Amino acid sequence: MQLLENRIIADGRIIEGDILKVDSFLNHNTDIPFVWKLAEELHRLYSDCDVTKILTIEASGIAIASLTALCFGVPMLFAKKSRSSNITGEVFSSSAHSYTHGCDNNIIVSKRFLGKDDKVLIVDDFLARGSALSALWDITEQSGAETVGAGIIIEKEYQGGGDLLRGKGLRIESLAKIKSMSMENGIEFCG
Amino acid sequence: MQLLENRIIADGRIIEGDILKVDSFLNHNTDIPFVWKLAEELHRLYSDCDVTKILTIEASGIAIASLTALCFGVPMLFAKKSRSSNITGEVFSSSAHSYTHGCDNNIIVSKRFLGKDDKVLIVDDFLARGSALSALWDITEQSGAETVGAGIIIEKEYQGGGDLLRGKGLRIESLAKIKSMSMENGIEFCG
């Protein structure tokens, strides 16, 4: 998506640790009118899939997932990263490693909100090694719901998570795919 | 807001620890078409305030804050609960106690995204003792921005946080105000 690639070039910053900071428009200060255009594009890509629910993970996926859910006119369910006193009863759970924060997260979703009648679109801001997406997919499969696919804002294609999960049969649409990235040479997108 | 009160009566559940669970439509499984109506109401209440930014706190405030920001056509900035490797540089910070999770959170916002030219509407899902709202207000004041007010979905009025902050001069609009609540007698809203 050219609009998004242009914005990443203009406002993204590469910092140490192979991190692309897009906190000025995506995951801290969120340019909602801009993100709305991204949500509309995810809706266009999956418009014929009878999506009944958008699934994401707290916290930075929630904004794009909420706007995408608004486009589809369906609920947005966000997985939580640990059992808090506000989640009770039976849950689906899976484990995801966060390379950004250097820890494992047990992510959970209440069993009351996902089931075999659902057609789920998983939405997240980033896809790198695929740990979070793999865990969300696992949860959808546990519930008996149909996973129609994933909608990702920025995929770091060179980290391999996307191709790994595509190889296992998951449809993934990424609005920007980064082929390579370095502080010296900047960002190259996939053709 | 009658629509919201009806929904709380229909789908809210009171559990031990004075907790009102609205995870079926607000802060886990989020009924986005419904929350959109709440966002439109917050927009109506503050439509003449020249709002330039919506401020909230991760994670459960992000959905309502994103939809409210879409109504206003402005960015949504969410405070983070601890310094992660993805926040760099100078930050505004304040401390908030979470009674739900039984811990203190240091909440932070990058100084790059809030300043004296901003007119800030703070949005959150719950207001009880006012700890999170007070911390967000503190951060807005530190930045030199103007705080036009707060938009809250559910205020537990009997816990006193709202009146405390109103007494200090903060405009607070709550779409549902709970006067009393118990497992035995259910929910009574403020007249």
Side-chain angles (χ1 to χ4, degrees):
Chain A
M1 193 184 181
Q2 194 63 46
L3 184 78
L4 175 59
E5 293 184 6
N6 294 347
R7 186 68 181 265
I8 294 168
I9 295 295
D11 294 335
R13 291 181 304 144
I14 303 165
I15 62 171
E16 267 183 71
D18 192 44
I19 290 173
L20 174 62
K21 282 185 70 68
V22 287
D23 59 352
S24 66
F25 66 95
L26 193 58
N27 49 21
H28 181 34
N29 187 64
T30 310
D31 182 346
I32 291 289
F34 176 78
V35 173
W36 175 247
K37 294 176 188 168
L38 308 183
E40 287 182 318
E41 177 65 6
L42 291 181
H43 177 251
R44 188 187 67 79
L45 289 163
Y46 286 99
S47 59
D48 60 350
C49 294
D50 300 323
V51 170
T52 66
K53 190 153 286 191
I54 306 295
L55 177 66
T56 190
I57 182 169
E58 65 177 359
S60 56
I62 295 176
I64 176 65
S66 295
L67 299 188
T68 304
L70 187 64
C71 289
F72 280 96
V74 301
M76 179 278 299
L77 176 63
F78 65 90
K80 302 199 174 192
K81 282 181 181 165
S82 63
R83 181 181 287 268
S84 82
S85 59
N86 246 346
I87 288 256
T88 51
E90 292 291 301
V91 296
F92 300 115
S93 73
S94 192
S95 181
H97 183 75
S98 168
Y99 291 89
T100 308
H101 299 94
C103 61
D104 284 307
N105 286 309
N106 193 39
I107 72 168
I108 58 177
V109 166
S110 169
K111 287 188 177 178
R112 290 185 295 140
F113 305 128
L114 210 55
K116 63 181 175 48
D117 294 331
D118 280 313
K119 295 190 176 192
V120 177
L121 174 61
I122 301 168
V123 168
D124 208 355
D125 56 343
F126 268 95
L127 169 57
R129 293 180 179 85
S131 182
L133 178 54
S134 179
L136 290 170
W137 188 23
D138 180 29
I139 280 175
T140 307
E141 295 298 300
Q142 286 177 42
S143 76
E146 179 185 336
T147 311
V148 304
I152 303 293
I153 305 305
I154 301 173
E155 178 180 346
K156 292 159 89 178
E157 190 267 347
Y158 62 95
Q159 293 198 314
D163 286 344
L164 180 74
L165 293 170
R166 287 183 184 96
K168 292 179 178 176
L170 183 63
R171 177 182 173 189
I172 304 173
E173 304 283 353
S174 299
L175 301 186
K177 286 177 74 170
I178 296 175
K179 184 174 178 180
S180 68
M181 186 179 94
S182 69
M183 293 174 74
E184 298 73 28
N185 301 315
I187 294 171
E188 184 185 1
F189 293 100
C190 296
Chain B
M1 193 182 182
Q2 195 62 47
L3 183 78
L4 176 58
E5 293 183 7
N6 292 348
R7 187 68 183 263
I8 293 168
I9 295 295
D11 293 337
R13 292 181 302 143
I14 302 167
I15 62 169
E16 268 184 69
D18 193 45
I19 290 173
L20 174 62
K21 283 184 68 70
V22 287
D23 59 351
S24 65
F25 66 95
L26 193 59
N27 50 22
H28 181 35
N29 187 64
T30 311
D31 181 347
I32 291 289
F34 176 78
V35 174
W36 175 246
K37 293 175 187 167
L38 308 182
E40 287 181 318
E41 178 65 6
L42 292 180
H43 177 250
R44 188 187 67 77
L45 289 164
Y46 286 99
S47 60
D48 60 350
C49 295
D50 299 323
V51 170
T52 67
K53 190 155 286 192
I54 306 296
L55 177 66
T56 190
I57 182 170
E58 64 178 3
S60 56
I62 296 176
I64 176 63
S66 295
L67 298 189
T68 305
L70 187 64
C71 288
F72 280 97
V74 302
M76 179 277 299
L77 176 63
F78 66 90
K80 302 198 175 193
K81 281 181 181 164
S82 65
R83 181 181 288 271
S84 80
S85 60
N86 245 347
I87 288 256
T88 52
E90 292 291 303
V91 296
F92 300 115
S93 74
S94 192
S95 181
H97 184 76
S98 169
Y99 292 88
T100 309
H101 298 92
C103 61
D104 285 307
N105 286 310
N106 193 39
I107 72 166
I108 57 176
V109 165
S110 169
K111 287 190 176 176
R112 289 185 295 137
F113 304 129
L114 211 54
K116 63 181 173 50
D117 294 332
D118 279 312
K119 295 189 177 193
V120 177
L121 173 61
I122 301 169
V123 169
D124 209 356
D125 55 344
F126 269 96
L127 167 58
R129 294 180 177 84
S131 182
L133 179 53
S134 179
L136 291 169
W137 189 22
D138 180 28
I139 281 175
T140 307
E141 294 298 300
Q142 287 178 41
S143 76
E146 178 186 335
T147 311
V148 304
I152 303 293
I153 304 308
I154 301 172
E155 177 179 348
K156 292 159 89 178
E157 190 266 349
Y158 62 96
Q159 293 199 313
D163 287 344
L164 180 75
L165 293 170
R166 287 183 184 96
K168 292 180 177 176
L170 183 64
R171 176 182 173 189
I172 303 174
E173 304 282 355
S174 298
L175 301 186
K177 285 175 77 171
I178 296 174
K179 185 175 179 179
S180 68
M181 185 180 95
S182 69
M183 292 174 74
E184 297 73 28
N185 300 315
I187 295 172
E188 184 186 359
F189 292 100
C190 296

